Amino acid sequence: MSGPFSLSDRALSLKPSSTVAVTSRALELQRQGVDVISMSVGEPDFDTPDHVKAAAIRAIESGKTKYTAVSGIAELREAISAKFARENGLTYAPECVTVTSGGKQALFNAFFALLNPGDEVLIPAPYWVSYPEMVALTGAVPVAVPTTPESGFMLDPGELEARVTARTRMIVLNSPGNPTGAVFSPEVLRGVAAVAQRHGLMIVTDEMYEHLVYDAEQLSIGTLAPEHTLTVNGASKAYAMTGWRIGYAGGPKGVIAAMNALQSQSTSNASSVSQYAALAALGDHEATAQFVTLARAAYRARRDRIVSGLNALGLRTPTPQGAFYVMADTTPIHADELEATRRILDEARVAVVPGTDFAAPGQVRLSYATSMDNINEVLRRLAPLSGA
Ligand code: GLU
């Protein structure tokens, strides 16, 4: 080995997040004055609601700027416990709730708390880029369970069960899903819960997009198999609070305790000021609900426009039932999605995420969490590339 340091096997095996990478690239081009429209990052374009910002300012002014309990301030855990009961029908006492630096840290802590090297984890595909990477970091093995555009990316519990082996320990669910926007039906979720119960598996369900559902019924699988389920959520998507970095999880007490122990040795606690902001979002839930209702209506109109526009260009795009992403078939632009992504950026000046790291070959992900004007302009720019 030459050079002053050698990187760990873990660091060498880790693939950096492609959603974050494309977004950084688009920001850099914009900074250089290039007229790029970013459809890459999954981030609401709305501003954080005023009552949430005001609470954060009050927290700073009143000196709430110190360490908090590892699991989060008691008032926030109580508000999260009440939210789980009110909105999801889930019973998680405040000591069964933990607050983290974004949903990603909740997932990270959960995987490290629950997985051993060699364990297998079932993940419906296309999946969000970070699930398999985080699972692999623990030494466990991600196992993709395919879904298809033809079925609207609906999970088949039979396909899931067919991949259970003696080493399977966990199922990761994300509904509404990133990148597909699929919302798994109550019937599918009942099937998944039954698989978990039959084989003694843990379900980690990421419900970050739960408020962004358009034509489907949203059900929390934790109501069906509580002892098997860890429910992850956060403030980022529903309340336009990505930069505040507040995630949370509710689940069996022993799992939460192990996640807290991990967090005590890493970040200690989520930002105190952000926790008070999240408390306002969850505590003053009627003001927050008004914001969510307006945002959801805007996303629905944008979804309808982008889906019909992309299909009219010959870029086949199923209608997602939730979240704020679409998956477009870019094979008319190029058979290889990486090459299609490159052409879309270079020739149309539109940043999208290639399906490669989502296990979605021939497709790219577009986030429609952007203005209707941008969506119309993107469709105009893509027209010459698609040949339509
Ligand atoms: N979850 C969002 C996305 O997929 C934000 C970036 C990330 O954390 O991956 O774009």
Side-chain angles (χ1 to χ4, degrees), residues 223-255:
T223 58
L224 305 175
E227 68 286 6
H228 288 266
T229 305
L230 181 85
T231 306
V232 174
N233 209 322
S236 293
K237 313 293 178 176
Y239 317 136
M241 290 179 66
T242 45
W244 301 80
R245 309 310 301 133
I246 291 291
Y248 55 86
K253 204 170 175 179
V255 178

Short mmCIF file of all heavy atoms in Angstrom, two decimals, residues 223-255:
data_model
loop_
_atom_site.label_atom_id
_atom_site.label_comp_id
_atom_site.label_asym_id
_atom_site.label_seq_id
_atom_site.Cartn_x
_atom_site.Cartn_y
_atom_site.Cartn_z
N THR A 223 -49.99 -1.11 11.88
CA THR A 223 -51.29 -1.43 12.49
C THR A 223 -51.61 -2.91 12.31
O THR A 223 -52.45 -3.45 13.02
CB THR A 223 -52.43 -0.60 11.86
OG1 THR A 223 -52.45 -0.86 10.44
CG2 THR A 223 -52.23 0.89 12.09
N LEU A 224 -50.96 -3.56 11.34
CA LEU A 224 -51.27 -4.96 11.03
C LEU A 224 -50.34 -5.92 11.77
O LEU A 224 -50.75 -7.03 12.11
CB LEU A 224 -51.15 -5.21 9.52
CG LEU A 224 -51.98 -4.31 8.61
CD1 LEU A 224 -51.67 -4.57 7.14
CD2 LEU A 224 -53.47 -4.54 8.89
N ALA A 225 -49.09 -5.52 11.96
CA ALA A 225 -48.11 -6.41 12.60
C ALA A 225 -47.23 -5.57 13.52
O ALA A 225 -46.03 -5.40 13.27
CB ALA A 225 -47.27 -7.12 11.53
N PRO A 226 -47.81 -5.03 14.61
CA PRO A 226 -47.07 -4.06 15.43
C PRO A 226 -45.76 -4.59 15.99
O PRO A 226 -44.75 -3.89 15.99
CB PRO A 226 -48.05 -3.71 16.56
CG PRO A 226 -49.26 -4.55 16.38
CD PRO A 226 -49.17 -5.26 15.07
N GLU A 227 -45.76 -5.84 16.42
CA GLU A 227 -44.54 -6.36 17.06
C GLU A 227 -43.42 -6.62 16.05
O GLU A 227 -42.27 -6.83 16.41
CB GLU A 227 -44.86 -7.61 17.90
CG GLU A 227 -45.28 -8.85 17.13
CD GLU A 227 -46.71 -8.82 16.53
OE1 GLU A 227 -47.42 -7.80 16.57
OE2 GLU A 227 -47.08 -9.85 15.97
N HIS A 228 -43.77 -6.60 14.75
CA HIS A 228 -42.78 -6.86 13.70
C HIS A 228 -42.33 -5.57 13.01
O HIS A 228 -41.55 -5.65 12.05
CB HIS A 228 -43.38 -7.77 12.61
CG HIS A 228 -43.55 -9.18 13.05
ND1 HIS A 228 -42.62 -10.16 12.82
CD2 HIS A 228 -44.54 -9.77 13.74
CE1 HIS A 228 -43.04 -11.29 13.34
NE2 HIS A 228 -44.20 -11.09 13.91
N THR A 229 -42.86 -4.42 13.42
CA THR A 229 -42.70 -3.22 12.58
C THR A 229 -41.98 -2.09 13.28
O THR A 229 -42.28 -1.76 14.43
CB THR A 229 -44.10 -2.72 12.11
OG1 THR A 229 -44.77 -3.79 11.46
CG2 THR A 229 -43.96 -1.55 11.14
N LEU A 230 -41.06 -1.47 12.55
CA LEU A 230 -40.48 -0.19 12.96
C LEU A 230 -40.95 0.83 11.92
O LEU A 230 -40.72 0.64 10.71
CB LEU A 230 -38.95 -0.26 12.95
CG LEU A 230 -38.30 1.05 13.40
CD1 LEU A 230 -38.22 1.09 14.93
CD2 LEU A 230 -36.91 1.21 12.82
N THR A 231 -41.61 1.89 12.36
CA THR A 231 -42.14 2.90 11.44
C THR A 231 -41.23 4.12 11.44
O THR A 231 -41.00 4.73 12.49
CB THR A 231 -43.57 3.31 11.86
OG1 THR A 231 -44.36 2.12 11.97
CG2 THR A 231 -44.20 4.26 10.85
N VAL A 232 -40.73 4.45 10.25
CA VAL A 232 -39.83 5.61 10.10
C VAL A 232 -40.58 6.71 9.38
O VAL A 232 -41.33 6.45 8.42
CB VAL A 232 -38.56 5.20 9.31
CG1 VAL A 232 -37.69 6.41 9.02
CG2 VAL A 232 -37.77 4.14 10.07
N ASN A 233 -40.37 7.94 9.83
CA ASN A 233 -41.03 9.07 9.17
C ASN A 233 -40.16 10.31 9.44
O ASN A 233 -39.05 10.18 9.97
CB ASN A 233 -42.45 9.25 9.73
CG ASN A 233 -43.40 9.88 8.71
OD1 ASN A 233 -43.00 10.77 7.96
ND2 ASN A 233 -44.64 9.43 8.70
N GLY A 234 -40.65 11.48 9.07
CA GLY A 234 -39.86 12.67 9.31
C GLY A 234 -40.57 13.91 8.84
O GLY A 234 -41.66 13.84 8.26
N ALA A 235 -39.94 15.05 9.09
CA ALA A 235 -40.56 16.33 8.79
C ALA A 235 -40.27 16.81 7.37
O ALA A 235 -40.93 17.71 6.86
CB ALA A 235 -40.06 17.38 9.79
N SER A 236 -39.27 16.20 6.71
CA SER A 236 -38.73 16.77 5.48
C SER A 236 -39.75 16.99 4.37
O SER A 236 -39.86 18.09 3.83
CB SER A 236 -37.62 15.87 4.93
OG SER A 236 -36.53 15.87 5.79
N LYS A 237 -40.45 15.94 3.99
CA LYS A 237 -41.26 16.01 2.77
C LYS A 237 -42.62 16.63 3.05
O LYS A 237 -43.08 17.48 2.29
CB LYS A 237 -41.44 14.61 2.17
CG LYS A 237 -40.16 13.81 2.06
CD LYS A 237 -39.16 14.36 1.06
CE LYS A 237 -37.91 13.51 1.09
NZ LYS A 237 -36.87 13.81 0.17
N ALA A 238 -43.27 16.22 4.13
CA ALA A 238 -44.64 16.69 4.38
C ALA A 238 -44.65 18.17 4.74
O ALA A 238 -45.57 18.89 4.35
CB ALA A 238 -45.27 15.88 5.50
N TYR A 239 -43.66 18.64 5.48
CA TYR A 239 -43.71 20.01 5.98
C TYR A 239 -42.65 20.89 5.33
O TYR A 239 -42.33 21.97 5.85
CB TYR A 239 -43.53 20.03 7.51
CG TYR A 239 -44.31 18.96 8.24
CD1 TYR A 239 -43.73 18.21 9.25
CD2 TYR A 239 -45.63 18.68 7.88
CE1 TYR A 239 -44.44 17.21 9.90
CE2 TYR A 239 -46.35 17.68 8.52
CZ TYR A 239 -45.74 16.95 9.53
OH TYR A 239 -46.45 15.95 10.16
N ALA A 240 -42.09 20.44 4.21
CA ALA A 240 -41.08 21.22 3.48
C ALA A 240 -39.95 21.63 4.43
O ALA A 240 -39.61 22.80 4.57
CB ALA A 240 -41.72 22.43 2.81
N MET A 241 -39.35 20.64 5.09
CA MET A 241 -38.33 20.91 6.11
C MET A 241 -37.06 20.09 5.87
O MET A 241 -36.41 19.66 6.82
CB MET A 241 -38.90 20.60 7.50
CG MET A 241 -39.96 21.57 7.95
SD MET A 241 -40.64 21.15 9.58
CE MET A 241 -39.23 21.41 10.66
N THR A 242 -36.69 19.89 4.61
CA THR A 242 -35.54 19.02 4.32
C THR A 242 -34.27 19.45 5.04
O THR A 242 -33.54 18.63 5.58
CB THR A 242 -35.29 18.97 2.79
OG1 THR A 242 -35.38 20.30 2.30
CG2 THR A 242 -36.30 18.11 2.08
N GLY A 243 -34.00 20.76 5.02
CA GLY A 243 -32.73 21.24 5.59
C GLY A 243 -32.67 21.19 7.10
O GLY A 243 -31.59 21.27 7.68
N TRP A 244 -33.83 21.05 7.74
CA TRP A 244 -33.84 21.04 9.21
C TRP A 244 -33.32 19.71 9.75
O TRP A 244 -32.92 19.63 10.91
CB TRP A 244 -35.25 21.28 9.75
CG TRP A 244 -35.88 22.56 9.33
CD1 TRP A 244 -36.49 22.83 8.13
CD2 TRP A 244 -35.97 23.76 10.09
NE1 TRP A 244 -36.95 24.12 8.12
CE2 TRP A 244 -36.66 24.71 9.31
CE3 TRP A 244 -35.55 24.12 11.38
CZ2 TRP A 244 -36.92 26.00 9.76
CZ3 TRP A 244 -35.83 25.41 11.84
CH2 TRP A 244 -36.50 26.32 11.02
N ARG A 245 -33.38 18.67 8.94
CA ARG A 245 -32.92 17.33 9.28
C ARG A 245 -33.62 16.76 10.52
O ARG A 245 -32.99 16.55 11.57
CB ARG A 245 -31.38 17.27 9.48
CG ARG A 245 -30.52 17.86 8.39
CD ARG A 245 -30.86 17.39 6.99
NE ARG A 245 -30.76 15.96 6.82
CZ ARG A 245 -31.72 15.24 6.21
NH1 ARG A 245 -32.82 15.79 5.74
NH2 ARG A 245 -31.57 13.95 6.07
N ILE A 246 -34.90 16.53 10.40
CA ILE A 246 -35.61 15.87 11.49
C ILE A 246 -36.32 14.62 10.96
O ILE A 246 -37.21 14.71 10.10
CB ILE A 246 -36.65 16.80 12.17
CG1 ILE A 246 -35.94 17.91 12.94
CG2 ILE A 246 -37.58 16.01 13.10
CD1 ILE A 246 -35.18 17.47 14.19
N GLY A 247 -35.86 13.47 11.44
CA GLY A 247 -36.55 12.21 11.18
C GLY A 247 -36.97 11.64 12.52
O GLY A 247 -36.58 12.15 13.57
N TYR A 248 -37.80 10.60 12.46
CA TYR A 248 -38.15 9.93 13.72
C TYR A 248 -38.60 8.51 13.43
O TYR A 248 -38.87 8.15 12.27
CB TYR A 248 -39.21 10.71 14.50
CG TYR A 248 -40.48 11.04 13.76
CD1 TYR A 248 -41.54 10.14 13.70
CD2 TYR A 248 -40.64 12.27 13.13
CE1 TYR A 248 -42.71 10.45 13.05
CE2 TYR A 248 -41.81 12.59 12.46
CZ TYR A 248 -42.85 11.67 12.43
OH TYR A 248 -44.01 11.98 11.77
N ALA A 249 -38.64 7.71 14.48
CA ALA A 249 -39.09 6.33 14.32
C ALA A 249 -39.86 5.92 15.56
O ALA A 249 -39.59 6.41 16.66
CB ALA A 249 -37.89 5.40 14.11
N GLY A 250 -40.82 5.01 15.35
CA GLY A 250 -41.55 4.40 16.46
C GLY A 250 -41.49 2.90 16.28
O GLY A 250 -41.55 2.41 15.15
N GLY A 251 -41.36 2.19 17.38
CA GLY A 251 -41.31 0.73 17.24
C GLY A 251 -41.14 0.06 18.58
O GLY A 251 -41.26 0.70 19.64
N PRO A 252 -40.84 -1.24 18.55
CA PRO A 252 -40.66 -1.98 19.80
C PRO A 252 -39.58 -1.32 20.67
O PRO A 252 -38.56 -0.86 20.16
CB PRO A 252 -40.23 -3.37 19.32
CG PRO A 252 -40.76 -3.47 17.92
CD PRO A 252 -40.71 -2.08 17.36
N LYS A 253 -39.84 -1.32 21.98
CA LYS A 253 -38.97 -0.59 22.92
C LYS A 253 -37.50 -1.01 22.80
O LYS A 253 -36.59 -0.17 22.82
CB LYS A 253 -39.47 -0.87 24.34
CG LYS A 253 -39.11 0.16 25.34
CD LYS A 253 -39.88 -0.12 26.62
CE LYS A 253 -39.44 0.84 27.70
NZ LYS A 253 -40.16 0.62 28.94
N GLY A 254 -37.26 -2.32 22.65
CA GLY A 254 -35.88 -2.81 22.60
C GLY A 254 -35.14 -2.30 21.36
O GLY A 254 -33.94 -2.00 21.42
N VAL A 255 -35.86 -2.20 20.25
CA VAL A 255 -35.24 -1.70 19.02
C VAL A 255 -34.92 -0.21 19.17
O VAL A 255 -33.81 0.25 18.83
CB VAL A 255 -36.18 -1.92 17.79
CG1 VAL A 255 -35.55 -1.35 16.53
CG2 VAL A 255 -36.50 -3.40 17.63
#
